[in-house]
């Protein structure tokens, strides 16, 4: 049974091997699942010890009013960074609305959605810049951008016995970027939440349920679509939640 516990992921693995495997897969099939051991290796020697503090930020997200209008309880925040490829300089940009390009998300194309910014603690958490730096190196397999526009979306999708656990109410879609990534932070009392990446014609490339914290799903957003099936509670007497960090990269 998928109990969906949010434990501390195991450490281990070789960062160079993990990044090389990700770059090779993305350049080939356009999708890659990096296991927790590889992710934590890329995040540094103390990543496993830092994970609980990083995951605690998901308790301080705020309501997504746009999803609520469609019957989904989703909590989130939003941050926009700029990453220089050559120097690794990472800058948090002024907070603005979030707009997805035309011909991407069918529910919110060109809608100026306003979300609360990342908390200061989230934006300064040492795990975040390490993750962004690693993703930037992986994204280099897809494009030789001198600077990346990096958008960070921590999500918590809440489900009850009455429903409401839709991570992607828009269905399979694109985000209009180069690289899209989904990092599982934790699951509690949750079943479902299967991630699927497919071709624009609908051919399935990969379907996987992220269960282990620090599992990372990567895809080339220019040539794939992605979506996540509904989340439901294992114990219907208690709510379920699924916590992820979606991070996207596009040349700026």
């Amino acid at each position: 049974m998928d109990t969906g516990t949010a434990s501390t992921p195991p450490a281990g693995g070789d960062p160079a091997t993990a990044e090389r495997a990700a770059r090779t897969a993305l350049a080939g099939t356009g999708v890659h699942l990096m296991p927790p051991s590889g992710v934590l290796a890329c995040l540094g020697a103390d990543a496993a010890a830092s994970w609980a503090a990083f995951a605690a930020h998901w308790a301080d997200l705020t309501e997504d009013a746009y999803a609520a209008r469609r019957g989904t309880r989703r909590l989130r925040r939003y941050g926009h960074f700029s990453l220089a490829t050559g120097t690794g300089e990472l800058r948090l940009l002024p907070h603005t609305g979030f707009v997805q390009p035309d011909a991407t998300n069918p529910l919110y194309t060109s809608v100026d959605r306003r979300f609360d910014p990342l908390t200061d603690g989230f934006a300064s958490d040492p795990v975040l810049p390490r993750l962004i730096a690693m993703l930037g190196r992986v994204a280099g397999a897809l494009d030789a951008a001198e600077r990346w526009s990096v958008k960070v979306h921590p999500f918590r999708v809440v489900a009850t016995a009455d429903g409401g656990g839709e991570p992607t109410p828009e269905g399979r879609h694109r985000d209009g970027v180069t690289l899209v990534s989904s990092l599982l932070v934790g699951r509690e009392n949750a079943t479902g939440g299967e991630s699927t990446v497919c071709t624009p014609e609908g051919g399935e490339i990969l379907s996987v349920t992220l269960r282990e914290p620090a599992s990372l799903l990567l895809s080339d957003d220019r040539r794939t679509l992605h979506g996540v099936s509904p989340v439901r509670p294992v114990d219907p007497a208690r709510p379920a939640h699924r916590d992820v960090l979606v991070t996207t990269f596009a040349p700026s």
Side-chain angles (χ1 to χ4, degrees):
M1 178 179 291
D2 182 3
T3 56
T5 55
S7 60
T8 299
D14 174 61
T17 300
E19 289 185 18
R20 184 165 56 249
R23 289 172 60 93
T24 299
L26 286 170
T29 63
V31 64
H32 179 66
L33 177 64
M34 186 182 290
S37 59
V39 172
L40 293 178
C42 293
L43 295 182
D46 65 339
S50 305
W51 186 263
F54 182 61
H57 297 300
W58 271 254
D60 195 18
L61 305 183
T62 57
E63 296 283 348
D64 178 344
Y66 305 92
R69 293 169 192 165
R70 297 182 177 272
T72 289
R73 183 159 187 242
R74 187 164 65 182
L75 311 177
R76 68 186 298 174
R77 289 182 182 271
Y78 167 60
H80 188 187
F81 294 82
S82 176
L83 175 66
T85 303
T87 64
E89 177 199 16
L90 182 67
R91 292 189 291 112
L92 178 63
L93 301 178
H95 191 65
T96 60
F98 174 58
V99 180
Q100 290 185 277
D102 291 340
T104 55
N105 186 318
L107 293 184
Y108 301 117
T109 295
S110 301
V111 177
D112 184 0
R113 289 184 285 168
R114 299 282 167 163
F115 303 113
D116 286 340
L118 302 178
T119 63
D120 291 343
F122 196 120
S124 62
D125 191 296
V127 170
L128 185 61
R130 296 175 195 171
L131 175 67
I132 291 174
M134 181 269 284
L135 292 173
R137 293 190 294 271
V138 169
L142 302 177
D143 203 332
E146 294 185 2
R147 186 173 290 275
W148 290 108
S149 169
V150 183
K151 296 183 178 180
V152 173
H153 309 262
F155 288 101
R156 169 172 286 183
V157 172
V158 180
T160 66
D162 297 327
E166 297 281 352
T168 54
E170 61 272 34
R172 294 179 181 179
H173 64 283
R174 295 177 57 244
D175 286 342
V177 297
T178 299
L179 176 72
V180 60
S181 70
S182 183
L183 176 72
L184 181 70
V185 174
R187 296 164 62 101
E188 183 64 35
N189 189 38
T191 188
E194 182 181 49
S195 299
T196 299
V197 182
C198 63
T199 66
E201 296 75 31
E204 184 178 301
I205 303 172
L206 176 68
S207 285
V208 62
T209 300
L210 303 179
R211 291 187 173 91
E212 296 293 330
S215 299
L216 177 66
L217 181 61
L218 304 153
S219 58
D220 181 347
D221 191 60
R222 302 166 303 177
R223 54 192 176 107
T224 62
L225 303 175
H226 60 275
V228 184
S229 69
V231 174
R232 295 290 180 260
V234 175
D235 177 358
R238 299 186 292 119
H241 69 252
R242 175 181 182 267
D243 294 348
V244 298
L245 179 65
V246 173
T247 308
T248 66
F249 282 67
S252 64

